[in-house]
Amino acid sequence: MFNAVMNFGLGADIEALGEDVEVLTAADLDLPEVVRSVRSLLASALGPACPLELRLPEESLMVHSDRSEIEQIVLNLAVNARAAMPRGGPFTIEVEGRGDEVILRASDRGVGIAESVRGRIFDPFFTTRRDSGGSGMGLAVVQAAMLRAGGRVEVDSVEGQGATFTLRCDSARVNALSDAGSETTIDRNMTWRSSPWKSGGVPTRMRRARHV
C-alpha cells in the first residue's frame, strides 16, 4: 500500500489504489495562518539547537490545497533542515505574495546539497544520510504534495552554506478563475481538476501519504 500511495502521489493510475486510505480535500486556505498554527510542532521537530524563525505577513495569502498536506510539507522541510545542521543553526520560513503567486521559502544554514546529487533529492528513497536513519521520503512527499496543489519546488544551495527551498503556487484567486467549469466528479468521490502545470490535471481530493 505504501508504494501504491506514493506512486499515486507522483501521478500513477488511481485504480491502482485500494479503498482503505484517507481522502484529502482541497480548500482555499490562508498559508501564513496554516504555518503559524504548526509553530509549536515545528519547534519541537527542530529541537533547541535549531531555532525557528517565521517571517509571515499580516495579510491573508490564499492557496487552494489540503491543510494536512501543507502541514506535512513544512514539517518535512523542518526535519530535513535539522538533519542538515548537525551542529545546530536557524531554520527560517518566509511567506510572501508576488503577483499571482504565493511563495514559501524554507532556509537553513546546514551542510548544503552537493551539485552531484541535487538532481536526485526528490527521488523516493534517495538519501545521503542512510547511516543516520534517513528514509529518503521527506522531500519526495514535499514534491508530490506541491504537484497536487499545481505548484513547484525550486532549490538553491551552496555546499557548506545551507539550502533554500522555494515553493511556488498560484493564489486561490487565480485557481478559481482557471478552474471555473472544469471540475468533473469521478468514482470514489475523487475530483479531477485541470491544471496549467500538468496536461493531465491534478487531483484535488487525494489519498494521503504521511511517510517522512
Side-chain angles (χ1 to χ4, degrees):
M1 176 55 69
F2 174 73
N3 288 337
V5 170
M6 282 311 304
N7 287 336
F8 182 65
L10 296 173
D13 187 347
I14 63 173
E15 296 301 329
L17 287 177
E19 302 283 349
D20 56 343
V21 285
E22 183 177 348
V23 174
L24 296 180
T25 303
D28 289 351
L29 302 169
D30 180 6
L31 183 57
E33 184 278 325
V34 176
V35 175
R36 287 189 189 97
S37 73
V38 294
R39 178 196 293 265
S40 61
L41 181 62
L42 293 173
S44 177
L46 289 164
C50 301
L52 173 65
E53 180 178 353
L54 299 182
R55 300 175 183 173
L56 306 175
E58 293 299 324
E59 69 270 21
S60 296
L61 293 174
M62 306 300 290
V63 296
H64 193 72
S65 185
D66 179 86
R67 187 181 186 98
S68 66
E69 287 220 297
I70 295 178
E71 294 169 350
Q72 189 71 57
I73 285 171
V74 294
L75 178 60
N76 284 13
L77 291 172
V79 170
N80 185 75
R82 182 192 64 189
M85 298 187 289
R87 298 182 180 179
F91 174 65
T92 303
I93 294 179
E94 177 183 6
V95 177
E96 67 170 331
R98 183 176 297 177
D100 292 331
E101 282 188 324
V102 177
I103 301 169
L104 183 149
R105 294 186 183 88
S107 304
D108 66 67
R109 297 181 187 173
V111 297
I113 305 168
E115 187 173 354
S116 60
V117 302
R118 206 166 295 168
R120 300 184 60 194
I121 60 173
F122 296 111
D123 292 351
F125 306 109
F126 175 78
T127 180
T128 59
R129 296 187 287 269
R130 187 75 64 185
D131 293 342
S132 59
S135 67
M137 290 309 304
L139 293 179
V141 169
V142 169
Q143 185 183 56
M146 285 301 296
L147 289 174
R148 286 193 285 270
R152 65 188 188 275
V153 186
E154 302 167 354
V155 182
D156 183 28
S157 180
V158 176
E159 283 191 80
Q161 298 183 29
T164 297
F165 290 84
T166 302
L167 284 59
R168 300 178 181 272
C169 192
D170 284 347
S171 71
R173 178 182 63 82
V174 172
N175 275 327
L177 292 173
S178 63
D179 291 348
S182 66
E183 293 191 347
T184 303
T185 300
I186 60 176
D187 55 356
R188 294 201 293 275
N189 294 319
M190 301 289 286
T191 300
W192 197 257
R193 175 173 61 83
S194 64
S195 167
W197 300 105
K198 293 178 69 179
S199 59
V202 292
T204 59
R205 301 190 70 198
M206 306 284 295
R207 267 68 170 172
R208 186 176 185 180
R210 293 190 64 86
H211 301 265
V212 179

